[in-house]
Amino acid sequence: GQTAAMALWFRTFSTWDGVAGIHLEDLYVRPAFRRRGLARRLLAALARECVEQGYSRLGWAVLDWNTDAIALYDQVGGQQLSEWIGYRVSGPELSALASESESP
């Protein structure tokens, strides 16, 4: 009767492939339910959604210290991307960027 795991995802569109895909934003299994294959089953369900809908990819990011998750992602055939560099703007930099003039 408890929620054991969840996957938060959304549909994306690949300008490279010209086809939709899925981005997995968060995958979480409560500690009491780990090591039961739930994360893998959630990934498989998302993969099925991609295949059934004709989507070209399922993507996600993982923190470099999360070795358990990395091991799972390697086991399911996930491939680390080396050609992409993640960027983020937040805090004062976000405010500064937002306050810039709208005209070029």
Side-chain angles (χ1 to χ4, degrees):
Q2 297 179 353
T3 300
M6 70 91 186
L8 176 64
W9 60 275
F10 53 88
R11 195 174 69 154
T12 61
F13 185 81
S14 169
T15 56
W16 294 99
D17 296 337
V19 178
I22 287 178
H23 176 78
L24 174 60
E25 181 65 26
D26 201 3
L27 178 65
Y28 182 74
V29 179
R30 293 177 59 200
F33 297 96
R34 292 182 182 164
R35 305 275 185 236
R36 298 181 190 188
L38 297 176
R40 187 181 187 105
R41 286 171 40 199
L42 286 170
L43 288 169
L46 290 174
R48 276 191 302 279
E49 180 74 11
C50 286
V51 170
E52 290 170 2
Q53 298 300 321
Y55 299 164
S56 63
R57 61 176 70 168
L58 168 60
W60 62 88
V62 61
L63 294 166
D64 62 0
W65 53 260
N66 194 341
T67 55
D68 288 343
I70 292 169
L72 169 65
Y73 299 150
D74 287 343
Q75 288 174 4
V76 299
Q79 298 175 359
Q80 291 185 25
L81 301 176
S82 60
E83 64 272 11
W84 292 94
I85 299 172
Y87 275 85
R88 175 180 297 153
V89 62
S90 61
E93 294 82 6
L94 180 64
S95 296
L97 182 59
S99 68
E100 288 185 11
S101 171
E102 289 185 20
S103 59

